[in-house]
Each structure stands twice: as structure tokens, then as C-alpha cells.
Amino acid sequence: MKLKFLVSAALLGGLVSFAWGSIAHGTGMFSSLEPKAFTDSTAVLQTIKANAPENGIYFEGHGIFAAVSFRPDLAQKFESLVVPMLYQLGVEIAVALILAWVLLRLPVWPALGTGSLFATVGVAAGIEQLLPEANWYGFPIATQLA
């Protein structure tokens, strides 16, 4: 019974979370928060490659934060979105599995109490992850709050 619950909760929760992310990003629901394109991406690419010789995270105190992940041939990062989307779906299913496992270890509470607990933990995790990015790297607060 517990294994059936864990598997079904992981699959259903993962699919719902993946669908929400796909809708939010695909429809432009948060378009003002999406990364913007550079005016001259070729010039930026060459400048970054010259100043960030290896893949990694770079930070400059005037407000530049860059996650650099070049392919050796400088080709597009993804030839297709299928693989990263399948990876993301796997991440969402894994997170749902962990949350379902935690749910099974909680005392039996009404749905509102369990939902409130999960929401509180989610808010705390979000604060811990996102607000330091705004503090240290200058990520816009509006982006972090969304």
C-alpha cells in the first residue's frame, strides 16, 4: 500500500509540477521575469569566452553574475529541448517522491494542517535559496518573489 502511494504520488506530483512549470514558462505568464537576450550576443559570447576561460560561476562586484557553460565548439547549449525537459521531469518526480515519503512519516493530520506544514517548509526553503541570491548577486527582488 505504501509503495503504491509513493509511486502514484511521485508520478502525479511530478507531472503536475512539471505541467505548472511548462505552462508558466511556455505561456509567458512571468515574461517580465524571464532572462532577456543580449543586444549583440556574438560580441558578448566572445567577451565572456575571453574573460571566463573555463565553465563555472563568475561574479563581479558591479552587479555581473554569470553561469558559464560553453560547449567546446561554442555551439548552442541544447540541440533539442527534449533531454533537458526529460531531466526536469525526473527532478520533479524525485522531489514529489521525497515529499510523499515525508508525508507518510507525519502523524495523521487533517489535509489543511498537512498542507500548511508543507507550505511553511516550502516558504522557508525558498527564503533560504532565493533571498541570498538577491543579497549577494543582485538578482531582482521581484524575480525572487515570483
Side-chain angles (χ1 to χ4, degrees):
M1 178 64 172
K2 288 184 181 182
L3 180 61
K4 183 179 177 182
F5 170 80
L6 285 173
V7 170
S8 60
L11 292 174
L12 181 61
L15 288 171
V16 168
S17 183
F18 181 80
W20 164 250
S22 297
I23 290 167
H25 288 89
T27 63
M29 184 181 298
F30 299 113
S31 60
S32 65
L33 306 176
E34 295 292 328
K36 296 166 181 40
F38 291 108
T39 305
D40 184 352
S41 63
T42 302
V44 171
L45 176 68
Q46 296 306 321
T47 301
I48 291 173
K49 184 67 177 164
N51 290 282
E54 61 186 57
N55 291 339
I57 303 294
Y58 292 84
F59 175 71
E60 194 280 325
H62 290 98
I64 298 172
F65 177 91
V68 176
S69 180
F70 290 121
R71 289 176 45 164
D73 61 358
L74 297 180
Q76 290 288 326
K77 180 71 176 166
F78 302 113
E79 294 173 11
S80 164
L81 290 179
V82 172
V83 172
M85 289 186 75
L86 288 173
Y87 179 84
Q88 186 64 38
L89 176 60
V91 168
E92 302 297 348
I93 290 171
V95 168
L97 176 68
I98 292 167
L99 291 174
W101 180 83
V102 168
L103 180 63
L104 286 176
R105 267 106 193 111
L106 291 175
V108 178
W109 291 345
L112 184 59
T114 302
S116 298
L117 176 66
F118 273 39
T120 303
V121 169
V123 167
I127 289 169
E128 173 60 28
Q129 176 62 37
L130 299 173
L131 293 185
E133 290 176 351
N135 177 44
W136 291 105
Y137 307 121
F139 289 13
I141 292 290
T143 302
Q144 303 301 339
L145 291 175

